[in-house]
Amino acid sequence: MTSEDGPAGTDPVAADLRAAGARVRGGTPGDAIAGRVPRYVAAPADGAAAGALLAAAARHGLASVPRGNGTKADWGAPPLRCDLVVDTTDLTGIDHAAGDLVAAVGAGTPVADLAAVLAAAGQRLSADPVVAGSTVGGLVATGLSGPRRTLHGPLRDLTIGMTTVRADGTPASSGGRVVKNVAGYDLAKLHTGALGTLGLITSVTFRLHPLPAAVRAVSATAAAPATARAWRHAVAASTTAPTGVELDWPADGPLTLRVLLEGAEDGIEARAAEVAALLPGAATTAAPPPGWAALPGAPGATLLKAAVPPDAAADAAAGVRAAAAAAGTAADVRGSAAAGVLFAALPAGADGAAAAGAVDGARTAVAALGGSLTVPHAAPPLREHGVDLWGEVPGLALMRAIKDRFDPGRLLAPGRFAGGI
Amino acid sequence: MPDQLHALIPRLREICGDDGVVTDPMGRRTYASDGIPYHAADPGVVVLPTSTAQVAAVLRLCADNGVPFVPRGAGTGLSAGALPRTDGVLVVTSRMRRILEIDTANERAVVEPGVANLDITRAAAPHGYYYAPDPSSQQVCTVGGNIAENSGGAHCLKYGFTVHHVTGLVVVTPSGDTVRLGGKAAEAPGYDLIGAFVGSEGTLGIATEITVRLTRAPQKVSTVLAAFATMDAGGAAVSAIIGAGVLPAAVEMMDALSIEAAEAAVACGYPPGAGAVLIVELDGPTADVDAQFAEVTRMCREAGAFEVRTATDAAERARIWKGRKSAFAAVGRISPAYIVQDGVVPRTALPRVLRRIAELSAESGIRVANVFHAGDGNLHPLVLFDDTEPGAEERAAEVSGRILDLCIEAGGSITGEHGVGIDKACHMPAMFSADDLAAMDLFRRAFDPLGIANPEKLLPTPRLCGERPRVAKGAHPLVAEGRAELF
Ligand SMILES: Cc1cc2nc3c(=O)[nH]c(=O)nc-3n(C[C@H](O)[C@H](O)[C@H](O)COP(=O)(O)OP(=O)(O)OC[C@H]3O[C@@H](n4cnc5c(N)ncnc54)[C@H](O)[C@@H]3O)c2cc1C
């Protein structure tokens, strides 16, 4: 379909959106965001066009929801309104300053494209591709991090600059192109994981790391969560400096703890041996298995995120699984044991009431461990049944105040975020 | 003292106790400035709360009466962020100094805001852990001040800044509400308010309890000192090291003038005739460190180092660091007056910017000593002048300002670790557009709708930005007392 096709072709609102510098077409059921079919889908050509587009949308009172490749389009709560899907896939471009180990990247750039360009220069963005097929903007707006956060920090720590467009079309940048920089508020922190409710991310600047010379994965199967807990602690208390410590516990399989080591070729065997000695029965491989660090479960599954004090990671995994089983469903659990941030997947087709029961039970178990549980994605049966995706959110009044200042007309993905933000 | 403030004093005494409120002029004057003595103002009243509840009651009183407040930790800040308001309340955290918990199982410490940075490491060290952000003022500066400034240190090249090490905060907002954000878990639901609060320079409220990450002490630490004939050669070594994929814990560089000053002050015994000295510290698993160590020494020699020294124990390491750590104070001693600048450039722009600084210095006749965090392009030029010479101060201020312009032109930042405060508020428009600053102001107003939290800091105001930046004289008192090293 070309930009002039469909009902949007002669529509004056569409003409206005198009005048902003965007490809515009009418929305189709395939564009629905959590069941809401937009009237328009518009792809701005660049950052300036994105500003003009949102300004035009605001003039017409259209509520907008940003979308990259759409791999997580139905995450969060269903937006209360969705008149316009802002398709970011034309906001591409990679400005890679290899000597400075930074890259400024258009939000619509596929993460895989970025990785390929960086790898050609022997570098990488040290964020795990938790969902395959994501754009950079989608990665940042959902803000999830995998096990590599152990050494390099979560995604937000790798972000050193960001440009966004507010609901009224005003662009705003914060941070910059240097890693060390304390000038002004770091607004990128707010946009990371905000599901587009505070602004449309148009460009992100990352700090990069060199690709490691040597890699090993040391994995062992724990008979009980208490064993995994002791292992996690032993690895953390060792001085082997792992890049990641992953806990992987599929619903129908054993609990595996997997330690990723990266570094100089010379020392890697010795480090791997040191870690293996901490995990009885461990096997060492030249690379982690394919799909490691990805979110658990099949695409479309309901996704839970538990964040607990790190020592409680294995107990949290056990608690979430037990809650799922007690509710009549089953959870695959995977995530960073070292950081204490785990994901659990419930089958997309799971009965709504069972899934809701699993969420409640898991939330209680995780809260008892001093953590919190959210539901980044609810599959349709759970969504229709009804579920509190966020649980208790400390600081919600401040979050509302920020939303009110940034988007007083509630035009950006209204209702998608915590507390109805 | 304004009448309105005067009327609050009995209430403040009820909240903080008689010994927690300072009203006498001499007592107040001791808080007139922070680490930058040329910004000074006597606070209207000073309070020394001992608990979150007291801080909350004070801020609520301020909010109810529209009275401004300024948080203060140890007062070592170098951007006048803790400059008091004559019409306001200065809230000092010096009586909130308890380490509440060292939890090695979860790699966390929970502390009150007035705890000195180094005291966390002291408490964690027996367990094999430390608190990674290491500003050189760490013996004195508070964790609350570190939160406010997002402070870094020589080792933040590898380990990151304060923001990367905070998982929980209790914050009293400018309305007097107490919010508990995060905790020992690495993430909390909703917007990342902790990430946005760190670095907010006391403009969003007061942090009254802080949970930080503890880092496991490394297996091995090795330090290399390399001497080069020129800064360009030293810079080439830095580029080679980083380009080869080595991530050292620290990469520090000094130029001839600062080496000379350090030699005169502490007889650090650096190789004679060096035009540049580079210090590279590596830490991590032994095998990794050893491999990188060989690579780093080789690259230094290839870049033209005429002498390379190495240290593998604490005593040798201290000898290498001695000159570097004393450099600022030492340079301060060879000049009657100086300005400390803090700017950042992309690492690849370092040689070009350093050459431009040298040209600026030659053109203006104002000497500039360069001591800096080379690994992350964070320059700390010291602009030297004689304040008895007519016009010298103005020329020095001009050179200092031009250096910031060079940083911005090179795609860098006006501050890498000292913050904006009042000192650099007027430079913000050179780095950010009016729209960018407006977005920052919207964020600030969400926390502080009344505009009473550390007003006139961080963002430019018309009243403020008519004034010119000023200069320091002599060594900083902390440095003079030997309690802190400026570096
Ligand atoms: C000799 C010397 C060396 C230094 N070296 C370094 C260095 O290597 N790296 C570096 O980054 N900095 C360095 N600094 C700067 C300074 O030490 C840091 O900025 C430090 O974090 C300030 O801490 P403080 O307790 O002294 O804060 P203060 O100076 O008292 O206050 C600084 C800011 O924090 C706010 N604030 C204080 N406490 C709180 C709180 N609890 N909640 C909210 N806001 C609060 C204040 O309002 C103010 O805006 C150095 C300073 C000196 C004098």
Side-chain angles (χ1 to χ4, degrees):
Chain A
M1 192 192 277
T2 73
S3 64
E4 299 297 329
D5 281 344
T10 52
D11 174 333
V13 175
D16 248 17
L17 301 179
R18 199 167 287 124
R23 289 188 291 126
V24 179
R25 61 176 175 81
T28 67
D31 298 310
I33 304 281
R36 310 259 188 285
V37 179
R39 266 158 63 203
Y40 311 100
V41 175
D46 54 28
L53 176 70
L54 284 194
R59 280 198 303 278
H60 292 288
L62 304 181
S64 308
V65 177
R67 184 184 71 195
N69 278 342
T71 59
K72 300 174 284 285
D74 57 350
W75 283 32
L80 298 172
R81 292 169 57 204
C82 173
D83 307 312
L84 168 69
V85 161
V86 180
D87 172 349
T88 64
T89 51
D90 287 354
L91 302 176
T92 51
I94 300 171
D95 175 4
H96 180 203
D100 294 319
L101 286 150
V102 303
V105 190
T109 309
V111 175
D113 290 7
L114 173 63
V117 167
L118 301 179
Q123 298 180 3
R124 72 172 183 207
L125 170 64
S126 295
D128 295 295
V130 285
V131 175
S134 297
T135 59
V136 162
L139 179 79
V140 173
T142 48
L144 303 187
S145 305
R148 276 196 182 85
R149 63 182 298 158
T150 308
L151 189 66
H152 298 298
L155 184 63
R156 59 149 225 191
D157 291 359
L158 302 169
T159 302
I160 58 170
M162 191 182 282
T163 302
T164 57
V165 177
R166 277 204 311 281
D168 64 0
T170 316
S173 298
S174 60
R177 289 178 61 96
V178 284
V179 173
K180 200 169 184 186
N181 175 13
V182 295
Y185 299 112
D186 189 359
L187 300 183
K189 296 281 191 295
L190 291 178
H191 291 285
T192 302
L195 295 176
T197 54
L198 294 178
L200 171 73
I201 299 169
T202 55
S203 159
V204 186
T205 305
F206 295 111
R207 73 172 299 184
L208 310 171
H209 290 102
L211 283 169
V215 179
R216 292 292 183 276
V218 182
S219 314
T221 302
T227 312
R229 178 181 170 181
W231 287 353
R232 189 217 74 88
H233 185 257
V235 173
S238 77
T239 47
T240 53
T243 302
V245 182
E246 185 189 57
L247 182 154
D248 185 15
W249 199 357
D252 54 1
L255 195 181
T256 302
L257 203 71
R258 208 166 271 136
V259 180
L260 180 69
L261 296 165
E262 297 178 329
E265 192 70 62
D266 283 357
I268 201 83
E269 291 300 347
R271 284 168 69 201
E274 199 175 331
V275 171
L278 301 171
L279 315 182
T284 299
T285 51
W292 110 290
L295 294 178
T302 286
L303 187 74
L304 280 49
K305 181 175 94 170
V308 292
D311 193 38
D315 291 344
V320 170
R321 281 169 54 100
T329 176
D332 295 312
V333 180
R334 186 185 289 155
S336 172
V341 181
L342 302 172
F343 302 102
L346 306 174
D351 171 68
V359 170
D360 285 346
R363 186 165 279 147
T364 306
V366 166
L369 295 168
S372 62
L373 184 123
T374 56
V375 184
H377 175 244
L382 174 58
R383 204 193 297 148
E384 277 144 32
H385 178 274
V387 59
D388 176 358
L389 301 180
W390 308 94
E392 193 203 335
V393 182
L396 188 57
L398 289 169
M399 296 175 197
R400 286 217 171 89
I402 295 166
K403 172 72 172 179
D404 287 347
R405 299 271 169 176
F406 278 50
D407 179 18
R410 293 179 52 73
L411 292 175
L412 286 177
R416 201 181 200 186
F417 203 67
I421 285 173
Chain B
M1 189 188 305
D3 285 350
Q4 194 200 11
L5 194 57
H6 202 258
L8 297 188
I9 290 185
R11 300 286 306 282
L12 292 171
R13 288 196 198 284
E14 275 167 37
I15 296 165
C16 298
D18 284 346
D19 59 347
V21 180
V22 181
T23 55
D24 68 291
M26 287 304 286
R28 284 185 286 124
R29 175 140 303 171
T30 53
Y31 296 97
S33 41
D34 57 11
I36 310 195
Y38 50 83
H39 289 289
D42 292 349
V45 57
V46 179
V47 296
L48 306 157
T50 56
S51 67
T52 298
Q54 288 187 3
V55 173
V58 169
L59 296 205
R60 171 126 328 143
L61 193 64
C62 288
D64 287 348
N65 293 278
V67 166
F69 70 88
V70 175
R72 176 179 166 116
T76 67
L78 290 174
S79 50
L83 178 72
R85 296 276 298 205
T86 52
D87 60 347
V89 180
L90 186 73
V91 184
V92 183
T93 60
S94 57
R95 296 205 302 177
M96 299 178 75
R97 301 189 68 103
R98 286 178 305 160
I99 292 182
L100 301 173
E101 194 184 350
I102 297 287
D103 176 359
T104 51
N106 285 305
E107 299 124 30
R108 299 289 186 271
V110 185
V111 302
E112 291 186 332
V115 166
N117 169 299
L118 190 61
D119 285 344
I120 304 181
T121 290
R122 287 206 180 103
H127 310 279
Y129 289 83
Y130 70 109
Y131 178 54
D134 61 339
S136 39
S137 50
Q138 68 179 159
Q139 293 195 37
V140 192
C141 68
T142 66
V143 182
N146 296 169
I147 297 284
E149 301 290 3
N150 188 16
S151 299
H155 293 82
C156 64
L157 175 61
K158 180 167 176 182
Y159 292 99
F161 320 104
T162 300
V163 68
H164 303 132
H165 298 272
V166 181
T167 60
L169 284 180
V170 174
V171 170
V172 178
T173 69
S175 321
D177 296 330
T178 302
V179 250
R180 182 172 285 274
L181 303 172
K184 288 182 185 174
E187 292 185 10
Y191 298 141
D192 180 10
L193 297 184
I194 293 178
F197 187 92
V198 176
S200 63
E201 303 193 3
T203 63
L204 304 180
I206 299 188
T208 59
E209 187 187 298
I210 299 150
T211 306
V212 298
R213 207 185 291 280
L214 296 174
T215 304
R216 184 73 176 90
Q219 227 167 55
K220 182 162 185 182
V221 183
S222 290
T223 311
V224 180
L225 179 146
F228 299 87
T230 63
M231 292 286 276
D232 275 3
V238 175
S239 294
I241 292 165
I242 306 283
V246 177
L247 181 58
V251 180
E252 301 289 312
M253 200 149 129
M254 294 167 67
D255 69 1
L257 184 53
S258 45
I259 297 167
E260 187 190 310
E263 206 63 63
V266 299
C268 51
Y270 285 174
V277 154
L278 186 66
I279 298 175
V280 182
E281 191 150 283
L282 299 161
D283 72 7
T286 304
D288 266 26
V289 170
D290 290 347
Q292 294 184 342
F293 191 73
E295 214 178 334
V296 165
T297 45
R298 180 180 54 77
M299 286 185 288
C300 285
R301 288 195 200 283
E302 279 172 14
F306 63 82
E307 189 171 335
V308 177
R309 297 178 187 171
T310 59
T312 49
D313 68 31
E316 285 173 4
R317 196 155 50 244
R319 264 200 298 286
I320 286 185
W321 278 102
K322 188 175 177 189
R324 172 63 185 86
K325 290 200 170 189
S326 66
F328 266 75
V331 172
R333 266 178 229 132
I334 62 167
S335 176
Y338 64 92
I339 302 171
V340 183
Q341 194 46 282
D342 167 41
V344 187
V345 299
R347 194 175 34 242
T348 50
L350 265 177
R352 181 161 48 91
V353 172
L354 287 170
R355 276 197 294 274
R356 279 294 297 137
I357 292 176
E359 283 164 23
L360 273 177
S361 170
E363 286 159 17
S364 62
I366 295 283
R367 290 191 300 166
V368 179
N370 286 294
V371 181
F372 55 99
H373 308 300
D376 40 27
N378 187 188
L379 298 169
H380 284 319
L382 279 155
V383 183
L384 314 183
F385 65 99
D386 181 350
D387 55 331
T388 60
E389 185 191 318
E393 176 172 333
E394 287 71 20
R395 277 184 293 133
E398 171 81 26
V399 169
S400 175
R402 280 292 297 139
I403 292 175
L404 283 189
D405 294 342
L406 289 175
C407 292
I408 296 170
E409 284 160 29
S413 170
I414 57 170
T415 171
E417 54 186 20
H418 295 167
V420 175
I422 244 177
D423 204 49
K424 285 185 176 164
C426 301
H427 289 280
M428 286 288 277
M431 186 166 160
F432 294 106
S433 73
D435 283 342
D436 301 340
L437 296 173
M440 292 185 193
D441 195 49
L442 287 174
F443 171 61
R444 179 181 194 151
R445 295 290 164 225
F447 276 75
D448 180 24
L450 300 173
I452 57 171
N454 214 0
E456 302 206 302
K457 311 289 170 60
L458 205 151
L459 293 175
T461 64
R463 192 195 72 80
L464 192 67
C465 296
E467 295 173 10
R468 258 189 326 107
R470 311 235 296 279
V471 295
K473 270 191 73 164
H476 184 271
L478 282 175
V479 175
E481 289 166 31
R483 292 169 72 207
E485 293 140 339
L486 189 53
F487 89 116

